[in-house]
Amino acid sequence: MKLSQMVMPELFIPPEWDREFAQIAVDSRDVQPGDVFIARRGLKSHGEEHIAAAIEQGAVAVLAEGELGFRCEQSPHFPAVPVFFSSDIAACLTVWLHRRYASVDDMKLAAVTGTNGKSSVTQYMAQLAGFCAVPCGVLGTLGNGVWPDLQTSRNTTADLSVILRNLQSMQERGVNIAALEVSSHGLTQQRVAGLNFCVAVLTNLTQDHLDYHGSMADYFAAKRQLFVGHDIQAALINIDDDYGRRLAADTAINTDVMTYGASEQASVRYSAVKMQARGMQAWLDTPWGSGLLVLPLIGEFNLANATAAIAALALQGFDFVQLLQAAQKLEPVAGRMELYVKDNAPLTVVDFAHTPDALLNVLQALKPWNKKITAVFGCGGDRDRSKRPLMAQVAAAYADIVWLTDDNPRSEDPQQIFADALNTENTSDFYCEHDRSRAIAQALDMTAADGIVVIAGKGHENYQEVQGVKLPYSDAAVLSQLGYRKAGQLLSGDEHAE
């Protein structure tokens, strides 16, 4: 496509400076030879500072936000690179992106939002679709791509240009369905503007990101935008959640609303939940039929997430019976109740839980096993401080032994993070150790062989950031060094459960 085909009539491109281009990049690090670079104003800087870097990497043209103007830059790849300035860049960019990637409009897209469960629902959708012989794309926290071949992503919800570029790449591979994690940041910053969704899912809403939104009311308002401010064909909402019930009753949603959960009022309802040696099972009643749902997963929140994934696909025409059969092969999402085992040692669960509600869900999910629980958790630096004592309260209430350790302190003093977490009742007997590797090793040593150790609070990053320095680190690597191995299924044998 030529530059003029994308930006006219909003921006005039002289014929002598018109350029054929490949992709659009809003981050200079993403520029490949032949791309157009968009230089926008940011909160702290202006993309104009990176124009030279983009040209060095092979940009054929630059569209920069600023007073109307033009200049020509030297390039190691081309005789000259035109740089067009316009104050309308930000206002027009969504329209231009959808012109460039117009074919994406033909894809079936599902949007999943909520505080917890976004990664699980989107990846369960991709797994289930794949088991039904339909390749499915995923865009979210744990990577972008066609399942299971995911490439690292920088954000839960990427910039719209990145989303569209990824979706077009999937199309070129013959993939016509994708599941997207949609964060509150992504909604308020218009990162999914103009996308059409077959189904929009709300998993839940609990305290998180208040450092950004300021209040739960504003946080909920951001999530609500997906259901009242976008083109969606169906809404799928968890009504076991207070905010979910409020959203499901919202008369501003002008499409079909379907609900799910354990509630008797849910359109898609699971019941008769039973724990098994290799996972769990439940009875599932839906508009498409009823049947026994057998999952190689643990935790009722995983049951809710799998139910959401099944319903979201059924709404798009997938066969319900086939989906039930496929669910028996689901694998846990990385960092979501992952099990690690070692002979004559406590069972270990690694989970990315970094909010009070997420930690509560993990610990409650393990209660039916009737084993002593040791919790190892931390709180991220430079993030919402108010949730730290709440996480400590949850650990104190639902674990028998608690170790407080570092997560990602980032630029914050780790001791201050500890002080915030311990500023609540029932924490006097917590064990405190900043060295996360040592905390894990000591927690395992102190836990009986028939107990369970939960390692929580650390995300998917393969590093710890301390005072701006990223140090290689992974909970999985620590466990491996201690002789643990990842279970092939959630439970590799009956000897690990009662």
Side-chain angles (χ1 to χ4, degrees), residues 409-489:
R410 299 184 177 89
S411 68
E412 198 170 348
D413 179 2
Q415 195 58 43
Q416 180 60 56
I417 298 173
F418 273 28
D420 289 343
L422 297 171
N423 187 27
T424 187
E425 296 179 351
N426 302 320
T427 60
S428 59
D429 59 350
F430 279 19
Y431 294 92
C432 298
E433 171 59 62
H434 287 292
D435 186 314
R436 192 175 177 91
S437 300
R438 188 177 300 142
I440 291 172
Q442 292 177 344
L444 291 167
D445 285 342
M446 289 183 61
T447 305
D450 63 349
I452 300 175
V453 175
V454 175
I455 302 172
K458 180 75 179 68
H460 63 282
E461 306 94 346
N462 59 355
Y463 60 81
Q464 272 191 308
E465 185 175 346
V466 183
Q467 295 301 309
V469 178
K470 293 181 178 179
L471 307 171
Y473 177 84
S474 129
D475 288 338
V478 171
L479 290 172
S480 177
Q481 291 167 3
L482 294 172
Y484 275 78
R485 60 181 174 80
K486 190 174 180 180
Q489 290 279 323

Coordinates of all heavy atoms in Angstrom, one line a residue, residues 409-489:
P409 N 10.9 -5.6 43.3 CA 10.9 -4.3 44.0 C 11.0 -3.1 43.1 O 10.6 -2.0 43.5 CB 12.2 -4.4 44.9 CG 12.5 -5.9 44.9 CD 12.1 -6.4 43.6
R410 N 11.5 -3.3 41.9 CA 11.7 -2.2 40.9 C 12.5 -1.1 41.6 O 13.6 -1.3 42.1 CB 10.4 -1.7 40.4 CG 9.6 -2.8 39.7 CD 8.3 -2.4 39.1 NE 7.7 -3.5 38.3 CZ 6.8 -4.3 38.8 NH1 6.5 -4.2 40.1 NH2 6.3 -5.3 38.1
S411 N 12.0 0.2 41.6 CA 12.9 1.2 42.2 C 12.6 1.5 43.6 O 13.2 2.4 44.3 CB 12.6 2.5 41.4 OG 11.3 3.0 41.6
E412 N 11.6 0.7 44.2 CA 11.2 0.9 45.6 C 12.1 0.2 46.6 O 12.6 -0.9 46.2 CB 9.7 0.5 45.7 CG 9.1 1.1 46.9 CD 7.6 0.8 47.0 OE1 7.0 0.4 45.9 OE2 6.9 1.0 48.0
D413 N 12.2 0.7 47.8 CA 13.0 0.0 48.8 C 12.2 -1.2 49.3 O 11.1 -1.2 49.7 CB 13.1 1.0 50.0 CG 13.8 0.4 51.2 OD1 14.3 -0.8 51.1 OD2 14.0 1.1 52.2
P414 N 12.8 -2.4 49.1 CA 12.2 -3.7 49.5 C 11.7 -3.7 51.0 O 10.7 -4.3 51.3 CB 13.2 -4.7 49.3 CG 14.1 -4.2 48.2 CD 14.2 -2.7 48.5
Q415 N 12.5 -3.0 51.8 CA 12.1 -3.0 53.2 C 10.8 -2.2 53.4 O 9.9 -2.5 54.3 CB 13.2 -2.3 54.1 CG 13.0 -2.6 55.6 CD 13.0 -4.1 55.9 OE1 13.7 -4.9 55.4 NE2 12.1 -4.4 56.8
Q416 N 10.5 -1.2 52.6 CA 9.3 -0.4 52.7 C 8.1 -1.3 52.2 O 7.0 -1.2 52.8 CB 9.3 0.8 51.8 CG 8.1 1.7 51.8 CD 7.7 2.2 53.2 OE1 8.5 2.8 53.8 NE2 6.5 1.9 53.7
I417 N 8.3 -2.1 51.2 CA 7.3 -3.0 50.7 C 6.9 -4.0 51.9 O 5.7 -4.3 52.1 CB 7.8 -3.8 49.5 CG1 8.0 -2.8 48.3 CG2 6.8 -4.8 49.1 CD1 8.7 -3.5 47.1
F418 N 7.9 -4.5 52.6 CA 7.7 -5.4 53.7 C 6.9 -4.7 54.8 O 5.9 -5.2 55.3 CB 9.0 -5.9 54.3 CG 9.6 -7.2 53.6 CD1 9.3 -7.5 52.3 CD2 10.4 -8.0 54.4 CE1 9.8 -8.6 51.7 CE2 10.9 -9.2 53.8 CZ 10.6 -9.5 52.5
A419 N 7.3 -3.5 55.1 CA 6.6 -2.7 56.1 C 5.1 -2.5 55.8 O 4.2 -2.6 56.6 CB 7.3 -1.4 56.3
D420 N 4.8 -2.2 54.5 CA 3.4 -2.0 54.1 C 2.6 -3.3 54.2 O 1.5 -3.3 54.7 CB 3.4 -1.6 52.6 CG 3.9 -0.2 52.4 OD1 3.9 0.6 53.4 OD2 4.2 0.2 51.2
A421 N 3.2 -4.4 53.8 CA 2.5 -5.7 53.9 C 2.3 -6.1 55.3 O 1.2 -6.7 55.6 CB 3.3 -6.8 53.2
L422 N 3.2 -5.9 56.2 CA 3.1 -6.3 57.6 C 2.3 -5.3 58.5 O 2.0 -5.6 59.6 CB 4.5 -6.4 58.2 CG 5.4 -7.5 57.6 CD1 6.8 -7.4 58.1 CD2 4.8 -8.9 57.8
N423 N 1.8 -4.2 57.9 CA 1.1 -3.2 58.6 C -0.4 -3.7 58.7 O -1.3 -3.0 58.2 CB 1.2 -1.9 57.9 CG 0.5 -0.8 58.7 OD1 0.4 -0.9 60.0 ND2 0.1 0.3 58.1
T424 N -0.6 -4.8 59.3 CA -2.0 -5.4 59.5 C -1.9 -6.4 60.6 O -0.8 -6.8 61.0 CB -2.5 -6.0 58.2 OG1 -3.9 -6.3 58.3 CG2 -1.7 -7.2 57.7
E425 N -3.0 -6.9 61.0 CA -3.1 -7.9 62.1 C -2.6 -9.3 61.6 O -2.6 -9.6 60.4 CB -4.5 -8.0 62.6 CG -5.0 -6.7 63.2 CD -6.5 -6.9 63.7 OE1 -7.1 -7.9 63.4 OE2 -6.9 -6.0 64.4
N426 N -2.2 -10.1 62.6 CA -1.9 -11.5 62.4 C -0.7 -11.8 61.5 O -0.7 -12.8 60.8 CB -3.1 -12.3 61.8 CG -4.3 -12.1 62.8 OD1 -4.2 -12.2 64.0 ND2 -5.5 -11.9 62.2
T427 N 0.3 -10.9 61.5 CA 1.5 -11.1 60.6 C 2.7 -11.2 61.5 O 3.8 -11.3 60.9 CB 1.6 -9.9 59.7 OG1 1.8 -8.7 60.4 CG2 0.5 -9.8 58.7
S428 N 2.6 -11.3 62.8 CA 3.8 -11.3 63.7 C 4.6 -12.6 63.5 O 5.7 -12.6 63.8 CB 3.3 -11.1 65.1 OG 2.4 -12.1 65.5
D429 N 3.9 -13.7 63.1 CA 4.6 -14.9 62.9 C 5.1 -15.2 61.5 O 5.5 -16.3 61.2 CB 3.8 -16.1 63.5 CG 2.4 -16.2 62.7 OD1 2.1 -15.3 61.9 OD2 1.8 -17.2 62.9
F430 N 5.0 -14.2 60.6 CA 5.5 -14.3 59.3 C 7.0 -14.5 59.3 O 7.7 -13.9 60.0 CB 5.1 -13.1 58.4 CG 3.7 -13.1 57.9 CD1 2.7 -13.8 58.4 CD2 3.4 -12.3 56.8 CE1 1.4 -13.8 57.9 CE2 2.1 -12.2 56.3 CZ 1.1 -13.0 56.8
Y431 N 7.5 -15.4 58.4 CA 8.9 -15.4 58.1 C 9.2 -14.4 57.0 O 8.5 -14.4 56.0 CB 9.3 -16.8 57.7 CG 9.2 -17.9 58.8 CD1 8.0 -18.6 58.9 CD2 10.2 -18.1 59.7 CE1 7.8 -19.5 59.9 CE2 10.0 -19.0 60.7 CZ 8.9 -19.8 60.8 OH 8.7 -20.7 61.8
C432 N 10.3 -13.6 57.2 CA 10.6 -12.6 56.2 C 12.0 -12.8 55.7 O 13.0 -12.9 56.5 CB 10.5 -11.2 56.9 SG 8.8 -10.8 57.5
E433 N 12.1 -12.9 54.4 CA 13.4 -13.1 53.7 C 13.4 -12.4 52.4 O 12.6 -12.8 51.5 CB 13.6 -14.6 53.6 CG 14.8 -15.0 52.7 CD 16.1 -14.4 53.2 OE1 16.5 -14.8 54.3 OE2 16.7 -13.6 52.5
H434 N 14.3 -11.4 52.2 CA 14.3 -10.7 50.9 C 14.8 -11.6 49.7 O 14.3 -11.4 48.6 CB 15.1 -9.5 51.0 CG 14.5 -8.4 51.8 ND1 13.4 -7.7 51.4 CD2 14.8 -7.9 53.0 CE1 13.1 -6.8 52.3 NE2 13.9 -6.9 53.3
D435 N 15.7 -12.5 50.0 CA 16.2 -13.3 48.9 C 15.2 -14.4 48.6 O 14.9 -15.3 49.3 CB 17.5 -14.0 49.4 CG 18.2 -14.8 48.3 OD1 17.5 -15.5 47.6 OD2 19.4 -14.7 48.1
R436 N 14.5 -14.2 47.4 CA 13.4 -15.1 47.1 C 13.8 -16.6 46.9 O 13.1 -17.4 47.4 CB 12.8 -14.6 45.8 CG 11.4 -15.2 45.4 CD 10.8 -14.6 44.2 NE 9.5 -15.3 43.8 CZ 8.3 -14.9 44.3 NH1 8.2 -13.9 45.1 NH2 7.3 -15.5 43.9
S437 N 15.0 -16.8 46.4 CA 15.5 -18.2 46.2 C 15.6 -18.8 47.6 O 15.2 -20.0 47.8 CB 16.8 -18.2 45.5 OG 16.7 -17.7 44.2
R438 N 16.2 -18.1 48.6 CA 16.4 -18.6 49.9 C 15.1 -18.8 50.6 O 14.9 -19.8 51.3 CB 17.3 -17.7 50.7 CG 17.7 -18.2 52.1 CD 18.7 -17.3 52.7 NE 19.9 -17.1 51.9 CZ 20.5 -15.9 51.8 NH1 20.0 -14.8 52.4 NH2 21.6 -15.8 51.1
A439 N 14.1 -17.9 50.4 CA 12.8 -18.0 51.1 C 12.1 -19.3 50.6 O 11.5 -20.0 51.4 CB 12.0 -16.8 50.7
I440 N 12.2 -19.6 49.3 CA 11.5 -20.8 48.7 C 12.2 -22.0 49.3 O 11.5 -23.0 49.8 CB 11.6 -20.8 47.2 CG1 10.7 -19.7 46.6 CG2 11.2 -22.1 46.6 CD1 10.9 -19.4 45.1
A441 N 13.5 -22.1 49.3 CA 14.2 -23.2 49.8 C 13.9 -23.5 51.3 O 13.6 -24.6 51.7 CB 15.7 -23.1 49.6
Q442 N 13.9 -22.4 52.1 CA 13.6 -22.6 53.5 C 12.1 -23.0 53.8 O 11.8 -23.8 54.7 CB 13.9 -21.3 54.3 CG 15.4 -21.0 54.3 CD 15.8 -19.7 54.9 OE1 14.9 -18.8 55.1 NE2 17.0 -19.5 55.3
A443 N 11.2 -22.4 53.0 CA 9.8 -22.8 53.1 C 9.6 -24.3 52.8 O 8.8 -24.9 53.5 CB 9.0 -21.9 52.2
L444 N 10.3 -24.8 51.8 CA 10.2 -26.2 51.4 C 10.7 -27.0 52.5 O 10.2 -28.1 52.9 CB 10.9 -26.4 50.1 CG 10.2 -25.9 48.9 CD1 11.2 -25.9 47.7 CD2 8.9 -26.6 48.5
D445 N 11.9 -26.6 53.1 CA 12.5 -27.4 54.2 C 11.6 -27.5 55.4 O 11.6 -28.5 56.1 CB 13.8 -26.8 54.6 CG 14.9 -27.0 53.6 OD1 14.7 -28.0 52.8 OD2 15.9 -26.3 53.6
M446 N 10.8 -26.4 55.7 CA 10.0 -26.4 56.9 C 8.6 -27.0 56.7 O 7.9 -27.2 57.7 CB 9.8 -24.9 57.3 CG 11.0 -24.2 57.9 SD 10.6 -22.5 58.4 CE 9.3 -22.8 59.7
T447 N 8.3 -27.4 55.5 CA 7.0 -28.0 55.2 C 7.0 -29.5 55.2 O 8.0 -30.1 54.5 CB 6.4 -27.4 53.9 OG1 6.4 -26.0 53.9 CG2 5.0 -28.0 53.6
A448 N 6.1 -30.2 55.8 CA 6.1 -31.6 55.8 C 5.9 -32.2 54.4 O 5.3 -31.5 53.5 CB 5.0 -32.1 56.7
A449 N 6.4 -33.4 54.2 CA 6.3 -34.0 52.8 C 4.9 -34.1 52.3 O 4.7 -34.2 51.1 CB 7.0 -35.3 52.9
D450 N 3.9 -34.2 53.2 CA 2.5 -34.3 52.8 C 1.8 -33.0 52.7 O 0.6 -32.9 52.6 CB 1.8 -35.3 53.7 CG 1.7 -34.8 55.1 OD1 2.4 -33.8 55.4 OD2 0.9 -35.4 55.9
G451 N 2.6 -31.9 52.8 CA 2.0 -30.6 52.7 C 2.1 -30.0 51.3 O 2.6 -30.6 50.3
I452 N 1.6 -28.7 51.2 CA 1.7 -28.0 49.9 C 2.3 -26.7 50.1 O 2.0 -26.0 51.1 CB 0.2 -27.8 49.4 CG1 -0.5 -29.1 49.1 CG2 0.3 -27.0 48.0 CD1 -1.9 -28.9 48.7
V453 N 3.2 -26.3 49.2 CA 3.9 -25.0 49.3 C 3.3 -24.2 48.1 O 3.5 -24.6 46.9 CB 5.4 -25.1 49.2 CG1 6.0 -23.7 49.1 CG2 5.9 -25.8 50.5
V454 N 2.8 -23.0 48.3 CA 2.3 -22.1 47.3 C 3.3 -21.0 47.1 O 3.6 -20.3 48.1 CB 0.9 -21.6 47.6 CG1 0.5 -20.5 46.5 CG2 -0.1 -22.7 47.7
I455 N 3.8 -20.9 45.9 CA 4.8 -19.8 45.6 C 4.0 -18.8 44.7 O 3.7 -19.1 43.5 CB 6.0 -20.3 44.9 CG1 6.7 -21.4 45.8 CG2 7.0 -19.2 44.6 CD1 7.8 -22.1 45.1
A456 N 3.8 -17.6 45.2 CA 2.9 -16.6 44.5 C 3.5 -15.2 44.5 O 4.5 -15.0 45.1 CB 1.5 -16.6 45.3
G457 N 2.9 -14.4 43.7 CA 3.2 -13.0 43.6 C 4.3 -12.6 42.6 O 4.5 -11.4 42.3
K458 N 4.9 -13.6 41.9 CA 5.9 -13.3 40.9 C 5.3 -13.5 39.6 O 4.8 -14.6 39.3 CB 7.2 -14.1 41.1 CG 8.3 -13.9 40.1 CD 9.0 -12.6 40.4 CE 10.2 -12.4 39.4 NZ 9.7 -12.1 38.1
G459 N 5.4 -12.6 38.7 CA 4.8 -12.7 37.3 C 5.6 -13.5 36.4 O 6.5 -14.3 36.7
H460 N 5.3 -13.4 35.1 CA 5.9 -14.2 34.0 C 7.3 -13.8 33.6 O 8.0 -14.5 32.9 CB 5.0 -14.2 32.8 CG 4.9 -12.8 32.2 ND1 4.0 -11.8 32.7 CD2 5.5 -12.2 31.1 CE1 4.1 -10.7 32.0 NE2 5.0 -10.9 31.0
E461 N 7.7 -12.6 34.1 CA 9.1 -12.1 33.7 C 10.1 -13.0 34.2 O 10.0 -13.6 35.3 CB 9.3 -10.7 34.3 CG 8.2 -9.7 34.0 CD 7.2 -9.6 35.1 OE1 7.2 -10.5 36.0 OE2 6.4 -8.6 35.1
N462 N 11.2 -13.2 33.4 CA 12.3 -14.1 33.8 C 13.4 -13.3 34.5 O 14.6 -13.6 34.3 CB 12.8 -14.9 32.6 CG 13.3 -13.9 31.5 OD1 13.2 -12.7 31.6 ND2 13.9 -14.5 30.4
Y463 N 13.0 -12.3 35.3 CA 14.0 -11.5 36.0 C 13.3 -10.9 37.2 O 12.1 -10.9 37.4 CB 14.5 -10.4 35.1 CG 13.4 -9.4 34.6 CD1 12.9 -8.4 35.4 CD2 12.8 -9.6 33.4 CE1 11.9 -7.6 35.0 CE2 11.8 -8.7 32.9 CZ 11.4 -7.7 33.8 OH 10.4 -6.9 33.3
Q464 N 14.2 -10.5 38.1 CA 13.8 -9.6 39.2 C 14.4 -8.2 39.0 O 15.6 -8.1 38.7 CB 14.2 -10.1 40.6 CG 13.3 -11.1 41.2 CD 13.7 -11.4 42.7 OE1 14.8 -11.8 43.0 NE2 12.7 -11.3 43.6
E465 N 13.6 -7.2 39.1 CA 14.1 -5.8 38.9 C 14.3 -5.2 40.3 O 13.4 -5.0 41.1 CB 13.1 -5.0 38.1 CG 13.7 -3.6 37.8 CD 12.7 -2.8 36.8 OE1 11.8 -3.4 36.3 OE2 12.9 -1.6 36.7
V466 N 15.6 -4.9 40.6 CA 15.9 -4.3 41.9 C 16.7 -3.0 41.6 O 17.8 -3.0 41.0 CB 16.8 -5.3 42.7 CG1 17.1 -4.6 44.1 CG2 16.1 -6.6 42.9
Q467 N 16.2 -1.9 42.1 CA 16.8 -0.6 41.9 C 17.1 -0.3 40.4 O 18.2 0.1 40.0 CB 18.0 -0.4 42.7 CG 17.7 -0.4 44.2 CD 16.7 0.7 44.6 OE1 16.9 1.9 44.3 NE2 15.6 0.4 45.3
G468 N 16.2 -0.7 39.5 CA 16.4 -0.5 38.1 C 17.2 -1.5 37.3 O 17.4 -1.4 36.1
V469 N 17.8 -2.5 38.1 CA 18.6 -3.5 37.5 C 17.8 -4.8 37.3 O 17.2 -5.3 38.3 CB 19.9 -3.7 38.3 CG1 20.7 -4.8 37.6 CG2 20.7 -2.4 38.4
K470 N 17.8 -5.4 36.2 CA 17.1 -6.6 35.9 C 18.0 -7.8 36.1 O 19.0 -8.0 35.3 CB 16.4 -6.6 34.5 CG 15.3 -5.6 34.4 CD 14.7 -5.7 33.0 CE 13.6 -4.6 32.9 NZ 12.9 -4.6 31.5
L471 N 17.8 -8.6 37.1 CA 18.6 -9.7 37.5 C 17.9 -11.0 37.0 O 16.7 -11.2 37.3 CB 18.9 -9.8 39.0 CG 19.4 -8.5 39.6 CD1 19.5 -8.6 41.1 CD2 20.8 -8.2 39.0
P472 N 18.6 -11.9 36.3 CA 17.9 -13.2 35.9 C 17.3 -13.9 37.1 O 18.0 -14.1 38.1 CB 19.1 -14.0 35.3 CG 20.1 -12.9 34.9 CD 20.0 -11.9 35.9
Y473 N 16.1 -14.3 36.9 CA 15.4 -15.0 38.0 C 14.1 -15.7 37.5 O 13.4 -15.2 36.7 CB 15.0 -14.1 39.2 CG 14.3 -14.9 40.2 CD1 15.0 -15.6 41.2 CD2 12.9 -15.0 40.2 CE1 14.3 -16.4 42.2 CE2 12.2 -15.8 41.2 CZ 13.0 -16.5 42.1 OH 12.3 -17.3 43.0
S474 N 13.9 -16.9 38.0 CA 12.6 -17.6 37.8 C 12.4 -18.6 38.9 O 13.3 -19.3 39.3 CB 12.7 -18.3 36.4 OG 12.4 -19.7 36.5
D475 N 11.1 -18.6 39.4 CA 10.7 -19.6 40.4 C 10.9 -21.0 39.9 O 11.4 -21.9 40.7 CB 9.3 -19.4 40.8 CG 9.0 -18.1 41.6 OD1 10.0 -17.6 42.2 OD2 7.9 -17.6 41.6
A476 N 10.6 -21.2 38.7 CA 10.8 -22.6 38.1 C 12.2 -23.1 38.1 O 12.5 -24.2 38.4 CB 10.2 -22.6 36.6
A477 N 13.1 -22.1 37.8 CA 14.6 -22.5 37.8 C 15.0 -22.8 39.3 O 15.8 -23.8 39.5 CB 15.4 -21.3 37.3
V478 N 14.5 -22.1 40.2 CA 14.9 -22.3 41.6 C 14.4 -23.7 42.0 O 15.1 -24.5 42.6 CB 14.2 -21.3 42.6 CG1 14.4 -21.7 44.0 CG2 14.9 -19.9 42.3
L479 N 13.2 -24.1 41.7 CA 12.6 -25.4 42.0 C 13.4 -26.5 41.3 O 13.7 -27.6 41.9 CB 11.1 -25.5 41.6 CG 10.2 -24.6 42.5 CD1 8.8 -24.6 41.9 CD2 10.2 -25.2 43.9
S480 N 13.8 -26.3 40.1 CA 14.6 -27.2 39.3 C 15.9 -27.5 40.0 O 16.3 -28.7 40.2 CB 14.8 -26.8 37.9 OG 15.6 -27.7 37.2
Q481 N 16.5 -26.4 40.5 CA 17.8 -26.6 41.2 C 17.6 -27.4 42.5 O 18.6 -28.0 43.0 CB 18.4 -25.2 41.5 CG 18.9 -24.5 40.3 CD 19.2 -23.0 40.5 OE1 19.1 -22.5 41.7 NE2 19.5 -22.3 39.5
L482 N 16.4 -27.3 43.1 CA 16.1 -28.0 44.3 C 15.6 -29.4 44.1 O 15.2 -30.1 45.0 CB 15.1 -27.2 45.1 CG 15.6 -25.9 45.7 CD1 14.4 -25.1 46.3 CD2 16.7 -26.0 46.7
G483 N 15.7 -29.9 42.8 CA 15.3 -31.2 42.5 C 13.8 -31.5 42.1 O 13.4 -32.6 42.0
Y484 N 13.1 -30.4 42.0 CA 11.7 -30.5 41.6 C 11.5 -30.6 40.0 O 12.4 -30.1 39.3 CB 10.9 -29.3 42.1 CG 10.4 -29.4 43.5 CD1 11.2 -29.2 44.6 CD2 9.1 -29.8 43.8 CE1 10.8 -29.4 45.9 CE2 8.6 -29.9 45.1 CZ 9.5 -29.7 46.1 OH 9.0 -29.9 47.4
R485 N 10.5 -31.2 39.6 CA 10.1 -31.3 38.2 C 8.7 -30.9 38.0 O 7.8 -31.1 38.9 CB 10.4 -32.7 37.6 CG 9.6 -33.7 38.3 CD 9.8 -35.1 37.7 NE 9.1 -36.2 38.4 CZ 7.8 -36.5 38.3 NH1 7.1 -35.8 37.4 NH2 7.3 -37.4 39.0
K486 N 8.4 -30.3 36.9 CA 7.0 -29.9 36.6 C 6.2 -31.2 36.2 O 6.6 -32.0 35.5 CB 7.0 -29.0 35.4 CG 5.7 -28.3 35.1 CD 5.8 -27.3 34.0 CE 4.5 -26.6 33.7 NZ 4.6 -25.6 32.7
A487 N 5.0 -31.3 36.9 CA 4.1 -32.4 36.6 C 3.6 -32.3 35.2 O 3.3 -31.3 34.7 CB 3.0 -32.3 37.6
G488 N 3.6 -33.5 34.5 CA 3.1 -33.6 33.1 C 1.7 -33.1 33.0 O 1.3 -32.3 32.2
Q489 N 0.8 -33.6 33.9 CA -0.5 -33.1 34.0 C -0.5 -32.4 35.4 O 0.5 -32.4 36.1 CB -1.5 -34.3 34.0 CG -1.7 -34.9 32.6 CD -2.6 -34.1 31.7 OE1 -3.6 -33.5 32.2 NE2 -2.3 -34.0 30.4

